[in-house]
Amino acid sequence: MTAFENQQLVLTAIGEDRSGIVSELTQLVSDCHCNIIDSRIAILGNEFTFIMLLSGDMSAISRVEHTLPVKSMELGLLTMMKRTSAHQHSNFSAGYTLEYHGIDMPGTLSKMTRFFAEQSINICSLKSDTYEESDKTHMRCELEINIPTDVDVDAFKIKFEDLSGVLNVDYVLRRIR
């Protein structure tokens, strides 16, 4: 790869939530002549979290790496950066979204993610939270998963139905690709 080919950088920023942080960080990226390929924002407690995948030539990526520490100090952010390369897509037979919910019980998310790992199923995205309803804490989770070509989808669905019964969660599984 030459200095003129696109490089990639994962940038993570965490700090107290307040207006203007996204604007400041995206302006820095733009000023350094990088492009935001992918990004995620979440508010966790009172903390703002921002993850971006940037692309640019080697000098643009280097500019971000050198200017971000000063900007993060100004903004009171904890930042981390890591160079990476383009994601290599695996062969998979299908992609699904899975939404499940139920009474919040410790370990449910851990058991779900362990189940997917044991089935060699890739989790592409995950969002989970809790909410109060009828004086009980409930949890909900949204996942996007890819099922590899060597996994029997029908057998997976049967095993997942069994697990959801054991964990006492309701779910919706939708094929998306």
Side-chain angles (χ1 to χ4, degrees):
M1 188 175 285
T2 69
F4 300 105
E5 293 181 24
N6 270 352
Q7 306 283 305
Q8 291 188 348
L9 181 73
V10 176
L11 185 157
T12 303
I14 302 170
E16 188 175 336
D17 184 34
R18 65 184 177 290
S19 298
I21 299 172
V22 174
S23 175
E24 291 283 345
L25 291 174
T26 57
Q27 186 64 54
L28 179 141
V29 169
S30 179
D31 290 347
C32 292
H33 306 291
C34 284
N35 188 37
I36 301 170
I37 296 174
D38 197 357
S39 64
R40 304 284 188 279
I41 294 175
I43 306 299
L44 303 171
N46 194 38
E47 299 304 307
F48 164 87
T49 60
F50 192 15
I51 302 171
M52 294 185 277
L53 176 62
L54 310 178
S55 72
D57 63 28
M58 193 175 296
S59 68
I61 294 293
S62 292
R63 277 193 295 275
V64 171
E65 290 172 325
H66 287 90
T67 59
L68 182 64
V70 172
K71 180 59 83 174
S72 65
M73 296 235 347
E74 289 174 13
L75 297 173
L77 298 174
L78 173 64
T79 58
M80 180 176 67
M81 298 173 277
K82 183 176 187 307
R83 287 195 186 215
T84 188
S85 56
H87 180 72
Q88 302 299 315
H89 294 282
S90 306
N91 288 334
F92 60 90
S93 63
Y96 289 85
T97 59
L98 169 66
E99 298 172 16
Y100 70 84
H101 61 92
I103 303 294
D104 188 31
M105 299 295 293
T108 301
L109 183 59
S110 174
K111 290 173 184 163
M112 284 287 191
T113 56
R114 185 177 321 118
F115 170 79
F116 293 125
E118 290 169 350
Q119 306 301 311
S120 300
I121 293 174
N122 296 333
I123 299 172
C124 305
S125 69
L126 183 149
K127 178 184 178 193
S128 67
D129 64 358
T130 60
Y131 61 97
E132 297 297 320
E133 184 177 283
S134 304
D135 295 327
K136 291 186 181 178
T137 303
H138 292 251
M139 56 81 194
R140 62 184 155 216
C141 186
E142 300 171 12
L143 298 103
E144 186 175 314
I145 58 173
N146 285 334
I147 300 179
T149 54
D150 60 347
V151 171
D152 181 337
V153 175
D154 293 328
F156 158 74
K157 288 179 180 179
I158 291 167
K159 290 177 187 175
F160 186 77
E161 177 71 25
D162 292 343
L163 177 63
S164 67
V166 168
L167 297 176
N168 197 26
V169 297
D170 295 319
Y171 71 92
V172 175
L173 183 67
R174 291 186 198 98
R175 185 169 179 159
I176 55 173
R177 58 184 164 274

